[in-house]
Structures are given as structure tokens and as C-alpha cells.
Amino acid sequence: MKWRINIDTTSGDMEEADQVEVDYVKALSLSQMEFENEQDLIIERKIKETLNVQTEEDEQLANAMQLSLVMASSKAVSSAFKIVCAGCNNEISRRENRFDCNGVVWHVKCLQCHACIQPIKDDQFYMAENRPYHTSCPRNKSHLKCYVCNDFIPYIGKEVECGEHPFWAQKYCPSHEDDGTSKCASCERLEPKGREYILLQDGRSLCVECSTFMIMDTKECQPLFREIQEYFTSLDMKLDQKIPLLLVEREALNEAMKGERNGHHHLSETRGLCVSEEQIIPVIHERKHTERYSPLNTQPFRLVRSCEVNAILILYGLPRLLTGSILAHEMMHAWLRLQGYPNLKPEIEEGICQVLAHMWLKSKINMGSEATMIASSSSTRQPPRSNKHKQLSKIEQKLGECFVRQIELDNSEAYGDGFRVGEQAVSQYGLKETLHHIKRTRNFPF
């Protein structure tokens, strides 16, 4: 059975139905918006919760880092204020007694001399390289080694005081100057440990290098004498008078010096003498034995006054270049007397004589240097030379430079100051003009 219902609606009913539908839609829309708002709030809350958790973690991490830095800084400050003993390297507490010097700190019980390792109980000490030393500790040494004993040179007080050779630059303990250590009679070097010097019969010592070139008797010295005569001739200062040259011992030379009215001597040991008075001198003519250090054989020699100069005496046993410079010095004395020069002040006469000795030495050294240059630059064989032009060995040339330096550094008024003024005059005016001026005025030209 089918039922059919017919509904008869009017226009008013239609409007009411439309309004209901609109209200429903509005309600549905509002409900949807509220739902969406709730969702947004939930999402926002979740985000905030997440951010809060992250922020808390970051704050915790930052706090941890800050705490770590504070602890490290605290340790650094603690370490900076920590006092460590320079002796035992242990910490010194604030309650312990300590000694502070220039920022270096010790336990009082740890303060000891670095040299003798004995406790320092008073203020008689000093610091060197941040190390304490007793002021008078005999074991206190510097970093400088002594040329003589090969030990470190000790401090004297707070300073290192040592002797030093003016030419060889060899440093040595000052005590060796007075403890009997042998000194070479020519180059003045002290005898080093392990090397024995040659002892001459008259008590002088010679180093090995100087003894290699020493001249021992009058006959052996004659070629050198002729060489010096030729050198004077080359300067237009020839000695026409024949003058004997004699090598003598120290005692004979000193005795001859006492009998001379002329001459000026300042050295602790006389090495040469231009003799004007009549005397009898024991002379070393010629050694009969082939042994170089055999006993001396002296013979008396009478000096007869035939002119202003009777003889030139030279101390035996000196090396060739030193003997030559002494001979040049004494020959200049002879030349001045034979040329009629008036009596001169010591600084004038000894000064100009030292100038001639210095000139001859320099000529020998320069000749040796030139010969070395020629030998090294030429491959062809050179013609043989005479002994006077013989090339110097490196050792002999070095000794010659030492003897030149001895003349230049002499601190006496006559020999040292006189030489320096005379050398300046000769350098400025020439030797010939300087000698003429000395003869006229008895003084160096200025």
C-alpha cells in the first residue's frame, strides 16, 4: 500500500526553512572555527613547550660552561699565587720561612751555594744567572776556561776577573801570574798545562813556537846582521863603521849595561845594548856541539873604544824576527851616534829607534804575505831566493805580528809614547825629514 502525503506549504513556511538552514550553516562555521582555534592553540602550546625545553637545555649548557670557566680561572689564579722553591721545586706554604731575591724564592733550608753546595747562612752571597754563590767560595767558577790550567776561571767577588794576552787573546786565571807558571821570554805566553817550555841555561823559558826559530850564537846571527845592514842602506842610512855584533847571556848583558853611561832601559829584562865604553864581555861565539840545547861555551871579548860605538850586544836564544827587531833598534842607536846627533831625551832617541825596529818587522811580515800571494797565484816554479827573502811560515809570521803588537802596545813613556809620537811624525813628514828635524831641534816635528 502506498501512501502519498501532500504537504501544502505556504511562502511563510519557505522563508522559515531558509532561515533555519542559514542558522545551521552559521553554527557549523562557528564550530569549525572554534575547532581550528583550539588546534592552533594546541600547536602553539606544543611549540612553546618545545622552545621552553630547548631554552632550559641551553641555559643548563651555558651554566655548565660558565662554571667550567670559573673553575679554570680559579685554578689559574691559584697557580699564579703558588710559590715554588728554586732549590727543591716544591711549593712553599705561607706559614713556611722563605728567602726571596730578585723574584727567586727558596726555602731557607734550601738556600745553598751553587758552586760548593754548602748552605748559605748569612747575607755574604751574590746572584749570578739566578744562582746563589758564597762571596768568597773557592769553587765558584765562571763559564770561561783558563788557557793555562784548562779549568773554569773563578769569580772574584761578583765579577769574572781574568788575565788576557793582548795579542793572542788567551784568557787565564789571574793567580797564574804569581804562582810560578812559566812565561815565554819572547812572545810572553804563559805555559799551558801539558806543554813543557824550553828552559835556557840562564833561566829563561821559551815556548815551542819561539824556540823553533831561536838564534843561539854569534855566528848564527851574522846573516841576520847583514840583512839589517842592507835594510839601513836601502833607507839611505848606511853604517860605514864596522861594528862587532855579539850574542851574550843575560848576566853579561846586564853587567855591560851597568858600565854604560848612555842608554835608556825600562824593560824588566834588557835584550840589546849599543856599547860605547871599553869593557870585557863573555861572548857566545859558536856552539861546538850539534845538540841545540847543549851547555854554552863563552869566551871573553875585549871591547876597545875606537869610535862612538864599540859593539852591539844581543841576548841569545830569541827567535829570529825578535832578534832582528832588537838589532834594528840598537843599530839605530849606533847610527845616531856615528852621525853626530846630540844627546837626546829618552822618549826621542828610544822612540825613533823603536820606529826603525817596527818598520823592519813590518817589512818582513809584508814580504811574507806578498810571497804567499805569489806562490798561491802562480803555477810556475819561482827562482830560489836568498834567506833574507825567504817566505815566512805561518807560525813565524804570526810571531812577527805579535812582536809588532808588543812595540805598539808598550806603555812606557820612552819606548811606548816615544814610538807613537815618532811613528806619527815619520808617517806625516817621512823618515828623512823627521831625522833632520831631530838633529836640529832635538825633538820630533809637530
Side-chain angles (χ1 to χ4, degrees), residues 231-417:
Y231 180 74
F232 271 68
T233 300
S234 70
L235 298 175
D236 197 22
M237 296 170 59
K238 184 179 180 180
L239 282 82
D240 296 323
Q241 181 69 35
K242 187 176 181 180
I243 303 172
L245 167 68
L246 306 171
L247 258 66
V248 297
E249 294 180 271
R250 172 198 284 175
E251 185 178 355
L253 190 59
N254 291 336
E255 287 297 322
M257 184 180 65
K258 293 178 183 178
E260 280 294 304
R261 291 176 296 179
N262 297 322
H264 318 282
H265 305 277
H266 80 291
L267 298 174
S268 57
E269 179 170 61
T270 304
R271 293 173 171 177
L273 185 65
C274 182
V275 182
S276 300
E277 305 298 324
E278 293 188 0
Q279 300 186 47
I280 298 178
I281 306 293
V283 176
I284 308 171
H285 282 288
E286 182 179 0
R287 299 175 70 81
K288 296 182 179 180
H289 302 278
T290 57
E291 179 64 36
R292 191 166 180 77
Y293 309 113
S294 59
L296 297 176
N297 179 26
T298 60
Q299 298 178 3
F301 186 90
R302 178 179 290 275
L303 299 179
V304 180
R305 184 177 177 85
S306 57
C307 64
E308 289 296 322
V309 180
N310 290 340
I312 292 176
L313 308 182
I314 303 292
L315 187 64
Y316 89 100
L318 298 175
R320 189 175 72 94
L321 291 181
L322 181 57
T323 301
S325 67
I326 297 170
L327 187 50
H329 178 104
E330 299 304 330
M331 282 186 64
M332 188 60 194
H333 279 299
W335 187 87
L336 291 173
R337 296 178 191 178
L338 293 174
Q339 293 297 317
Y341 276 68
N343 291 331
L344 302 172
K345 293 184 293 184
E347 58 269 25
I348 304 301
E349 184 168 348
E350 300 298 343
I352 195 64
C353 290
Q354 284 293 76
V355 168
L356 265 293
H358 187 268
M359 288 173 58
W360 181 81
L361 273 174
K362 294 283 284 187
S363 72
K364 295 298 294 182
I365 294 172
N366 293 337
M367 185 183 299
S369 300
E370 293 172 0
T372 302
M373 292 176 60
I374 294 173
S376 61
S377 63
S378 176
S379 59
T380 59
R381 185 173 181 179
Q382 300 293 324
R385 298 183 175 212
S386 63
N387 287 334
K388 65 182 179 181
H389 298 303
K390 184 179 179 182
Q391 178 181 341
L392 300 178
S393 67
K394 291 182 179 180
I395 296 176
E396 190 173 19
Q397 181 156 343
K398 197 69 177 178
L399 287 173
E401 293 170 1
C402 173
F403 304 144
V404 166
R405 197 68 176 148
Q406 285 178 351
I407 294 175
E408 294 172 346
L409 295 180
D410 194 308
N411 59 6
S412 68
E413 183 177 353
Y415 289 76
D417 295 343

